[in-house]
Amino acid sequence: MVDDAFVSKENPKKAKDKKKKNKKKRGGTKKKMTAEQTLAFKAVTEWVYLDQQSSPPSVSSASARVVDDFGVQKTMGRGGEKVVFELHSHSKCSDGFLSPSKLVERAHGNGVKVLALTDHDTMAGIPEAMEAARRFGIKIIPGVEISTIYSPRNTEAEEPVHILAYYSCCGPAKFEELENLLANIRDGRYLRAKDMILKLNKLNLPLKWEHVARIAGKGVAPGRVHVARAMVEAGHVENLKQAFAKYLYDGGPAYSTGSEPLAEEAIQVICETGGLAVLAHPWALKNPVAVIRWLKDAGLHGLEVYRSDGKLAVYSDLADAYGLLKLGGSDFHGRVGNSESELGSVNLPVLALHDFLKVARPIWCGAIRDILENYAEEPSDTNLERITRYGRTRILKGIAPSSCGTDLIDRCLSLWLTNEERQNAEFEAIKLKLSHISINQGGLHVPIESK
């Protein structure tokens, strides 16, 4: 029998300690925003709500809001909403399980306000995501996760590296240059998948190419996940985790490489096409310090530091050491019955988001300027397509059936740039050139006519 005196004396203390521990797990104590956080909050929310009629929260209301010990806002946004950024997600256009529109719908249900769709080696899902986002009031950052190889002089240190690229609403400034890189990687994915199937067959795990291709879907370059799903359906393994743990892990018995470019070459292309380059899941690397040091010299802008389970101190310290942005995302794929981080589950501090936009926006602004300049110099269907590639409906909405080019430019810029960013001599010069151009929206194509 338990002594009553012991129970009455010890249990309250244990309960109090447990309460403190649980409170710490939930993010610690709450406190008011600092002046720096308040200004960052204002800048971030102004950008988030640029293309929406409602105005963002005021500075005065922001200053009354609270943050936890990590600087994560508890009630950011209008009406007490949080402004959630999701910077790493996948759709059926690569190895995800949801269509881009369903992914956006799920993100909306989770309170996400800014979503980066970062499919592997393709941006094919961006137009559909943009259209769905228009219905749900979400801002889409066009992105892609590029498969690359880190290959120093010591070949034993070679390992796969994934680089996230983030672009403006108009996408890459030199679309063809990026697409050529991605297309070459996708072509290599087909050869890679066939080689993995061959290796599995030699391991007495019979699998057919047609099976993997059917799972991947029409026009989708197959990846390891598609091979793993085929293995599950064939009864060779119980689940995806087992397929990777036994056969498909990096260097595993059925692992194979494709035609991935060097990581520094991919970063160079990202920078040349107006994108922001971020190292994905550095915790998966064998030698993260060497990789980060090498890629910083190549032009890397940041690395993932935050996950759904919090900030990883070692990578945060590496980001500080090399002057890199600290970002993160769920890496959501939508795997049914598989434990993975949910969309919007990564809490990014407002200061990290502000730093991200502070670096990204001048880059995006320059890319948008280059795309518009090309159109002003040669007002053709092809160059107009470069402007509206990822958001035709959103960009052309509200423009009269026959408008001058400046209306299109004003509409395009208002979706992504602040008044201050738009009011510069270069954009004014572009608008002057386009004031003599009319745009007729008759059908799917938008013909250009000179006045």
Side-chain angles (χ1 to χ4, degrees):
M1 185 176 178
V2 181
D3 183 68
D4 290 339
F6 179 83
V7 172
S8 61
K9 184 177 179 180
E10 295 295 327
N11 276 5
K13 185 178 185 299
K14 285 184 177 181
K16 189 176 181 181
D17 290 342
K18 187 176 181 181
K19 189 175 181 181
K20 283 183 178 180
K21 187 176 180 182
N22 289 338
K23 189 176 182 181
K24 189 174 182 181
K25 282 184 178 180
R26 291 194 300 268
T29 56
K30 296 180 180 180
K31 48 194 174 185
K32 284 188 178 181
M33 283 188 182
T34 64
E36 184 183 15
Q37 288 169 335
T38 299
L39 290 175
F41 167 85
K42 180 178 182 294
V44 170
T45 52
E46 279 183 349
W47 181 79
V48 170
Y49 296 113
L50 270 178
D51 57 345
Q52 299 183 27
Q53 293 181 350
S54 302
S55 58
S58 65
V59 179
S60 59
S61 63
S63 62
R65 300 177 191 278
V66 295
V67 295
D68 63 19
D69 290 337
F70 303 104
V72 177
Q73 288 63 43
K74 293 304 178 186
T75 55
M76 284 184 67
R78 296 190 301 256
E81 296 176 336
K82 291 174 66 177
V83 176
V84 179
F85 278 58
E86 172 54 78
L87 297 178
H88 193 164
S89 65
H90 299 276
S91 76
K92 290 178 71 174
C93 292
S94 63
D95 60 346
F97 284 66
L98 301 178
S99 67
S101 56
K102 287 295 183 183
L103 184 78
V104 171
E105 184 177 352
R106 186 174 184 126
H108 171 70
N110 289 355
V112 173
K113 294 299 180 184
V114 179
L115 174 68
L117 175 56
T118 54
D119 275 318
H120 292 283
D121 309 315
T122 181
M123 298 182 77
I126 302 297
E128 182 183 335
M130 284 277 203
E131 180 59 27
R134 186 175 67 87
R135 299 195 304 271
F136 290 107
I138 289 179
K139 201 179 197 81
I140 295 292
I141 296 178
V144 61
E145 184 173 1
I146 305 178
S147 305
T148 74
I149 290 290
Y150 166 69
S151 184
R153 293 177 183 176
N154 177 10
T155 55
E156 291 183 0
E158 183 176 288
E159 61 177 315
V161 171
H162 288 189
I163 307 295
L164 293 161
Y166 301 110
Y167 289 96
S168 77
C169 59
C170 293
K174 301 173 184 175
F175 177 80
E176 291 77 11
E177 184 178 342
L178 178 69
E179 181 54 28
N180 287 340
L181 176 77
L182 299 179
N184 187 54
I185 300 172
R186 292 197 299 271
D187 289 344
R189 278 179 166 269
Y190 287 96
L191 298 175
R192 177 196 190 202
K194 290 179 179 179
D195 191 42
M196 286 191 284
I197 291 170
L198 182 62
K199 289 181 176 181
L200 287 169
N201 287 335
K202 289 181 178 179
L203 292 169
N204 294 320
L205 300 171
L207 215 59
K208 292 184 178 181
W209 162 250
E210 292 78 12
H211 190 179
V212 175
R214 175 179 56 79
I215 290 173
K218 186 178 179 181
V220 177
R224 280 187 288 180
V225 168
H226 302 116
V227 175
R229 288 172 62 184
M231 292 176 70
V232 173
E233 290 184 7
H236 299 320
V237 291
E238 294 181 4
N239 49 49
L240 299 181
K241 186 176 181 180
Q242 190 178 87
F244 275 85
K246 283 190 172 184
Y247 305 103
L248 301 177
Y249 62 88
D250 292 351
Y255 178 75
S256 179
T257 58
S259 54
E260 296 88 356
L262 293 173
E264 59 267 29
E265 292 176 359
I267 290 174
Q268 182 180 358
V269 171
I270 293 169
C271 293
E272 289 176 351
T273 55
L276 200 80
V278 174
L279 177 62
H281 33 69
W283 46 86
L285 298 173
K286 291 182 289 187
N287 193 357
V289 177
V291 173
I292 291 169
R293 181 171 59 243
W294 182 267
L295 298 186
K296 166 63 179 178
D297 292 339
L300 187 72
H301 295 100
L303 68 152
E304 289 191 313
V305 166
Y306 297 95
R307 304 192 307 191
S308 58
D309 56 356
K311 180 175 71 174
L312 298 184
V314 63
Y315 300 105
S316 178
D317 291 343
L318 280 173
D320 287 334
Y322 291 101
L324 296 167
L325 295 170
K326 302 177 186 180
L327 298 172
S330 67
D331 196 7
F332 179 81
H333 287 75
R335 295 167 186 159
V336 179
N338 192 295
S339 58
E340 67 169 353
S341 297
E342 183 57 76
L343 282 168
S345 62
V346 177
N347 286 321
L348 293 172
V350 69
L351 294 180
L353 293 174
H354 184 239
D355 288 342
F356 167 57
L357 292 176
K358 196 161 56 175
V359 172
R361 284 169 68 171
I363 295 172
W364 293 338
C365 189
I368 293 172
R369 183 193 61 239
D370 291 345
I371 293 171
L372 296 180
E373 180 65 39
N374 288 335
Y375 175 58
E377 292 295 330
E378 186 184 344
S380 64
D381 286 347
T382 300
N383 283 335
L384 180 61
E385 173 64 22
R386 289 191 174 100
I387 298 174
T388 62
R389 184 186 307 278
Y390 295 134
R392 175 177 293 271
T393 303
R394 175 170 285 195
I395 291 173
L396 298 181
K397 181 185 177 184
I399 298 178
S402 182
S403 305
C404 68
T406 54
D407 294 335
L408 171 68
I409 302 310
D410 284 336
R411 174 62 180 159
C412 179
L413 296 181
S414 67
L415 294 174
W416 209 256
L417 305 180
T418 64
N419 287 330
E420 185 179 352
E421 289 170 323
R422 286 148 50 192
Q423 291 173 356
N424 64 54
E426 291 171 314
F427 282 127
E428 290 301 320
I430 293 172
K431 288 166 71 173
L432 183 62
K433 291 178 183 178
L434 291 172
S435 63
H436 303 293
I437 303 297
S438 64
I439 302 171
N440 299 316
Q441 300 175 39
L444 295 177
H445 299 287
V446 185
I448 311 299
E449 297 178 354
S450 297
K451 283 187 175 179

